[in-house]
Amino acid sequence: MKNIVVLVSGGGTNLQALIDAEKRGEIKGGKITCVISSKEGVYALERASAAGIPSVVIPRKDFADSDAYSEAILAELKRQNAELVVLAGFMTILGECVTSAYPYRIINVHPALIPSFCGEGFYGLKVHKAALEYGVKVSGATIHFVNEKADAGAIILQGAVDVANDETPESLQRKIMENVEWKLLPKAVSLFCEDRITIKDGKAYVD
Ligand code: GAR
């Protein structure tokens, strides 16, 4: 069983999808052993507690810069013997000390079809606002490995939804979460834990 550590910053619906998938026996070869939050008092922490998963809060605001914060996260990941790190609505970009310590072992969910609407500054509802402002007719979510560049690591899975004429950022966010994120994130985590993802020339392939 691989130790999975999930990093969160907010409501934690993706964490919940992982917890529910694990309960259904759908995370083969892995177990969520710890949740780390960058904010105190977020609902994701209640979800962890309700599922009996230990949690640690490492507030981003307590650290002067991203490097100092990343060092603290790295120390905790080591303490937890993390074998897979999942960023499930984690709103802080991790520095190179973390990404280089866990190559192809950090998975992120991004709420758009990378390479569109991604990179620094594109997170949460801002992503959906930008997609609607552009006028796209499909959007979706991407599950990818994390490297030293924001949202630029190897893509594992993607899924798309149609954008309706009367779509709002909130309705698009919900549609993408329900139809793509909550399904594909647990699936990618299970594929990783089953050693079914191979890397060739910097790209990820599912066997
Ligand atoms: C999700 O839509 C996730 O894809 C997005 O934030 C939301 C978190 O929701 N993540 C990012 O924008 C990261 N760049 P959750 O806390 O309910 O899982």
Side-chain angles (χ1 to χ4, degrees):
M1 280 285 178
K2 289 187 171 72
N3 287 346
I4 304 168
V5 175
V6 183
L7 274 56
V8 297
S9 301
T13 63
N14 279 290
L15 168 65
Q16 191 66 55
L18 289 166
I19 291 169
D20 294 346
E22 187 184 320
K23 273 198 195 129
R24 291 193 302 267
E26 289 170 13
I27 308 284
K28 298 185 190 83
K31 182 177 161 53
I32 305 168
T33 49
C34 179
V35 169
I36 300 176
S37 174
S38 64
K39 280 189 199 152
E40 283 171 39
V42 294
Y43 194 64
L45 289 166
E46 291 191 32
R47 296 180 190 273
S49 153
I53 302 167
S55 60
V56 179
V57 180
I58 307 179
R60 174 64 183 87
K61 64 175 174 52
D62 289 0
F63 294 82
D65 54 35
S66 168
D67 285 349
Y69 188 67
S70 298
E71 290 290 352
I73 292 285
L74 179 61
E76 189 59 38
L77 292 174
K78 285 185 178 163
R79 228 186 330 270
Q80 298 293 339
N81 294 316
E83 292 170 283
L84 171 63
V85 181
V86 179
L87 311 186
F90 187 66
M91 298 306 183
T92 297
I93 293 175
L94 290 170
E96 216 179 324
C97 72
V98 179
T99 54
S100 62
Y102 294 92
Y104 297 104
R105 284 195 289 151
I106 307 174
I107 288 177
N108 181 47
V109 52
H110 181 74
L113 293 170
I114 289 175
S116 291
F117 311 111
C118 63
E120 260 187 273
F122 284 100
Y123 58 87
L125 273 178
K126 288 183 187 204
V127 176
H128 306 296
K129 273 187 197 142
L132 291 181
E133 264 162 32
Y134 199 96
V136 296
K137 303 305 173 215
V138 291
S139 191
T142 303
I143 317 299
H144 65 95
F145 284 114
V146 173
N147 65 10
E148 67 289 349
K149 288 196 209 125
D151 298 327
I155 292 171
I156 305 166
L157 298 171
Q158 288 185 302
V161 302
D162 288 333
V163 176
N165 286 342
D166 62 351
E167 208 78 71
T168 63
E170 290 77 10
S171 70
L172 184 57
Q173 179 181 55
R174 182 80 195 175
K175 196 188 261 187
I176 291 172
M177 282 176 155
E178 275 179 8
N179 292 286
V180 188
E181 296 183 38
W182 300 342
K183 292 178 183 163
L184 294 194
L185 181 62
K187 187 173 175 184
V189 166
S190 188
L191 289 167
F192 176 92
C193 292
E194 295 171 87
D195 295 320
R196 286 180 57 197
I197 306 174
T198 49
I199 306 296
K200 200 171 166 238
D201 299 330
K203 295 186 188 65
Y205 299 91
V206 175
D207 302 334

